[in-house]
Amino acid sequence: MKEIYEPKFVENLFDKMSGSYAYMNYITSFGFSERWRKQCVEELHIEDKKVIVDLMTGMGECWKHVLNKNTLNSQLIALDFSSEMIKQAEKNKLKFPHSKITILKEDVFHNSIENESADYIISGFGLKTFNAEQLNALANEIDRLLKPNGTFSLIDVSVPKNNILKFFYLLYLKNVIPLLGRLFLGSPETYKMLGIYTEAFGNSKNAFQIFKRDNFEVEYINYFYGCASGIKGKKIK
């Protein structure tokens, strides 16, 4: 299992999925992915003239919930290490001609964003690709990037606790999603990984425990009966 958390493995996986990921993410979440992204962003209560950092931005799926008439004077810095996802993000950027967007093709753990430069940090559906050691490194990086009193909100799909819902959810991830992967990519193995990551991840409680540190106020959040979960927090030192 260790190799599936290697950055190069994850990068290659998302490179392969980039062309169909938007549709598949919508399908794997039963259409709830957009709603969950919106809720994740709303947790931050973003104000104008601020700096927002979107880690593991993918194709910039969260941007539509961040960039609006109330944030025209804000700056969005979006980061991802997948070349193909970045290409999709560059296309998405054209939909926001009046917004200040900087896209970085960089590793979240080795990036050029300045210390304490972010007022807000968001990330949608990237947590499950990290093991415990990497989640701790992510907490360190968010600590580095956030200004004092800056806030963050992270979300990912999760395995619900309800046994009936859990049974059908995992059946769907392990069987239906790979079948759809075959239709989209000609290979079920690529999208099969989404189920593997999700089952191993469980929910955001492990991340919550890792992010519970002296300089963070952090809260665990359940979305839709535990089918998604996340953490939100504030840097207090």
Side-chain angles (χ1 to χ4, degrees):
M1 287 289 288
K2 184 179 180 180
E3 72 169 13
I4 73 171
Y5 297 104
E6 292 292 336
K8 196 62 183 177
F9 181 92
V10 180
E11 181 184 353
N12 289 337
L13 182 69
F14 281 91
D15 278 346
K16 291 177 183 176
M17 293 193 295
S18 61
S20 55
Y21 185 71
Y23 304 106
M24 289 296 291
N25 202 20
Y26 186 83
I27 293 169
T28 55
S29 66
F30 299 97
F32 280 91
S33 57
E34 283 305 308
R35 177 181 177 182
W36 292 336
R37 285 194 185 92
K38 184 173 185 288
Q39 290 175 310
C40 177
V41 171
E42 287 176 345
E43 298 288 352
L44 295 175
H45 304 288
I46 295 174
E47 299 176 352
D48 200 10
K49 299 180 181 179
K50 302 293 184 180
V51 176
I52 308 110
V53 173
D54 183 10
L55 298 177
M56 295 84 76
T57 190
M59 295 176 284
E61 298 98 319
C62 286
W63 300 355
K64 68 177 71 173
H65 309 299
V66 174
L67 302 172
N68 51 55
K69 62 182 180 181
N70 298 318
T71 58
L72 287 177
N73 298 300
S74 292
Q75 179 185 6
L76 175 65
I77 303 173
L79 179 150
D80 204 288
F81 65 178
S82 165
S83 299
E84 296 303 317
M85 286 292 190
I86 287 294
K87 289 179 183 178
Q88 298 295 332
E90 292 286 358
K91 294 178 183 178
N92 191 27
K93 181 179 177 178
L94 300 177
K95 299 177 183 178
F96 305 94
H98 304 296
S99 297
K100 302 172 186 175
I101 304 173
T102 300
I103 300 175
L104 302 175
K105 186 201 174 302
E106 297 178 356
D107 188 328
V108 66
F109 303 124
H110 306 93
N111 66 77
S112 60
I113 303 173
E114 295 182 4
N115 293 352
E116 296 192 345
S117 59
D119 296 286
Y120 308 101
I121 292 178
I122 58 170
S123 182
F125 306 109
L127 291 176
K128 63 180 174 292
T129 59
F130 294 136
N131 59 27
E133 181 181 353
Q134 291 166 328
L135 285 172
N136 187 67
L138 179 65
N140 291 338
E141 191 59 20
I142 288 176
D143 183 11
R144 181 184 75 82
L145 295 176
L146 274 179
K147 298 176 182 178
N149 296 313
T151 55
F152 62 89
S153 181
L154 320 172
I155 192 172
D156 214 320
V157 292
S158 304
V159 179
K161 289 294 185 183
N162 180 281
N163 287 331
I164 296 175
L165 191 57
K166 178 180 179 180
F167 172 80
F168 285 106
Y169 190 64
L170 289 177
L171 183 70
Y172 181 75
L173 283 176
K174 291 180 179 180
N175 296 279
V176 178
I177 298 307
L179 177 61
L180 293 174
R182 182 186 294 276
L183 294 176
F184 279 111
L185 294 176
S187 169
E189 295 303 315
T190 302
Y191 277 103
K192 183 179 179 181
M193 290 305 304
L194 293 180
I196 292 173
Y197 281 121
T198 301
E199 188 172 15
F201 175 67
N203 55 46
S204 298
K205 286 186 177 177
N206 187 35
F208 171 69
Q209 292 300 325
I210 290 171
F211 274 73
K212 284 175 67 176
R213 45 176 67 188
D214 291 342
N215 58 331
F216 280 166
E217 290 178 352
V218 62
E219 180 182 344
Y220 177 80
I221 305 173
N222 253 325
Y223 298 91
F224 194 71
Y225 304 104
C227 289
S229 63
I231 55 174
K232 69 174 182 177
K234 179 179 180 180
K235 180 177 176 178
I236 56 177
K237 292 183 182 180

